[in-house]
């Protein structure tokens, strides 16, 4: 028997927050507003935002990602024993609309376009948040679809959220490469049936649930390893 | 119009881990095995264990709580850059079977029994884990039911998990006082329809999702405030 190289994916779907956009870039503004607390605030904010997506999904009480992001911020500030005045809250929320993109993104998206591989986003973010982020980064011409989980009223890792990608692209899940920097998202996507790449930028341990992503990498460039040159 | 005092609850259902049993008591053994890392290990272990309950629930991939607890431990140790030999793993897991009970529990359970108020546990834990914990603490004579979410194959805050309590007790959710030290659990239980008490032992901020538990307290004794003396 000869091991066969699997066919290259027919499309690439990216997670947005943490994967294309650096969610910890808000830490700089948080540090300016709350000296000595920036990193902790950014971490608690992110963790709580994600926790809230799961609680509302599990309990069948979907609320927009923007609202959950604001709720996470309020929790994080309270957790540090700080007080969030309305002006600071708006500045931090506005910063979340304009997250930095990771530097290698453009080159990878352009390389996919050059190969005529459709690229898309599938994100927990609301449609409007995603539209602003994609436009700010200048990625609109490089993405065929920007898919929010909103129509499913469920957040990832609920299969109803992931199912929006194959349905929108018209490509079977296993023929889609799903790319995420969030270990839990790479895991959920693998369970769902995507071919997966976990871009482990933070050097975290793998999730210990006996399912591994198809591949693990360290930058978005590792997407291109799935396509023969 | 005269404000009416609501009727006292007809039954009390307790969360187990974090509420009756101190999940951070494993930190002491963790500190012995990994000096300087005990508190961090206990925190990451607990956070990851909870995260895993949510991921497997959302993805429809239920696995026993014991397995998720072990997976969380392995992740926590790896996250700290440490190595977990099999003997240390077994010691820590065995410690998880024998968590300390909070000191005021017995007095509260006995007071409920004296008033003929049925008391029960509804826990993410597996039936066997719960049986060992309840027996170790000597609570068996004080509890009418020890309910694991296992038959639902969903973890809290999934409504299918909470629904086991009214079904088992034969009491409507709003007539049951559900007690948890986990803010997310008190929240999910309130959404489900229970009367709720959040025992905020750690002095954490409330969850910011626009739903508050019926009452918030600081020790299990606050359960008795729901019953006129």
């Amino acid at each position: 028997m000869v091991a066969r190289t699997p066919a290259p994916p027919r499309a690439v779907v990216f997670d947005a927050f943490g994967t294309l956009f650096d969610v910890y870039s808000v830490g700089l503004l948080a540090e300016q507003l709350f000296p000595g607390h920036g990193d902790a605030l950014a971490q608690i904010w992110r963790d709580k935002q994600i926790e809230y997506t799961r609680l509302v999904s599990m309990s069948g009480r979907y609320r927009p990602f923007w609202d959950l992001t604001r709720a996470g911020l309020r929790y994080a500030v309270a957790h540090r024993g700080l007080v969030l005045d309305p002006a600071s809250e708006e500045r931090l929320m506005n910063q979340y609309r304009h997250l930095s993109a990771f530097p290698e993104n453009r080159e990878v998206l352009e390389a996919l376009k050059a190969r005529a591989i459709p690229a898309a986003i599938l994100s927990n973010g609301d449609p409007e948040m995603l539209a602003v982020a994609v436009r700010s980064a200048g990625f609109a011409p490089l993405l065929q679809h920007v898919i929010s989980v909103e129509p499913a009223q469920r957040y990832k890792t609920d299969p109803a959220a992931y199912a929006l990608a194959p349905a929108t692209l018209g490509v079977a899940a296993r023929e889609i490469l799903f790319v995420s920097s969030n270990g839990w998202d790479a895991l959920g996507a693998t369970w769902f049936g995507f071919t997966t790449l976990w871009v482990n930028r933070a050097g975290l341990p793998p999730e210990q649930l006996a399912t591994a992503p198809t591949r693990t990498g360290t930058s978005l460039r590792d997407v291109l390893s799935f396509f023969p040159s």
Side-chain angles (χ1 to χ4, degrees), chain A:
Chain A
M1 302 231 312
V2 176
R4 288 200 305 175
T5 307
R10 291 180 51 211
V12 182
V13 173
F14 296 89
D15 171 53
F17 298 114
T19 301
L20 296 180
F21 305 108
D22 183 0
V23 290
Y24 296 108
S25 61
V26 294
L28 291 173
L29 175 59
E31 180 66 25
Q32 280 176 37
L33 294 170
F34 300 103
H37 296 278
D39 286 349
L41 281 174
Q43 184 71 54
I44 299 169
W45 186 1
R46 172 66 174 166
D47 288 350
K48 206 70 190 180
Q49 174 200 50
I50 298 297
E51 180 177 17
Y52 284 163
T53 64
R54 295 172 183 166
L55 294 180
V56 301
S57 267
M58 289 177 76
S59 291
R61 297 201 169 229
Y62 181 87
R63 289 177 56 186
F65 195 65
W66 185 250
D67 295 356
L68 301 183
T69 300
R70 188 184 296 277
L73 170 59
R74 289 177 177 176
Y75 183 92
V77 172
H79 192 272
R80 299 294 291 179
L82 302 167
V83 174
L84 185 66
D85 62 82
S88 297
E89 178 172 315
E90 285 320 305
R91 283 185 69 186
L92 284 160
M93 288 300 291
N94 195 48
Q95 188 77 3
Y96 210 96
R97 271 187 212 271
H98 300 95
L99 297 171
S100 315
F102 289 103
E104 77 275 19
N105 293 0
R106 171 168 296 279
E107 147 195 354
V108 174
L109 292 173
E110 287 177 347
L112 293 174
K113 186 162 193 178
R115 288 162 200 248
I117 308 290
I121 282 175
L122 173 65
S123 166
N124 275 343
D126 305 324
E128 196 231 332
M129 288 176 77
L130 292 171
V132 172
V134 165
R135 198 166 56 230
S136 297
F139 292 159
L142 301 171
L143 295 165
Q144 279 211 343
H145 301 279
V146 178
I147 309 165
S148 163
V149 301
E150 189 206 50
Q153 300 279 296
R154 290 284 185 283
Y155 288 103
K156 297 186 281 184
T157 62
D158 192 301
Y162 289 121
L164 294 171
T168 305
L169 276 72
V171 176
R174 70 188 154 72
E175 298 184 295
I176 293 174
L177 174 61
F178 183 87
V179 182
S180 184
S181 290
N182 299 297
W184 54 267
D185 190 17
L187 175 69
T190 307
W191 279 338
F192 181 76
F194 291 115
T195 299
T196 52
L197 170 66
W198 176 34
V199 179
N200 183 13
R201 284 203 175 85
L204 291 172
E207 303 297 347
Q208 303 288 314
L209 290 179
T211 298
T214 313
R215 293 187 198 169
T216 298
T218 56
S219 108
L220 217 65
R221 285 197 194 86
D222 294 308
V223 166
L224 303 179
S225 74
F226 284 84
F227 300 93
S229 51

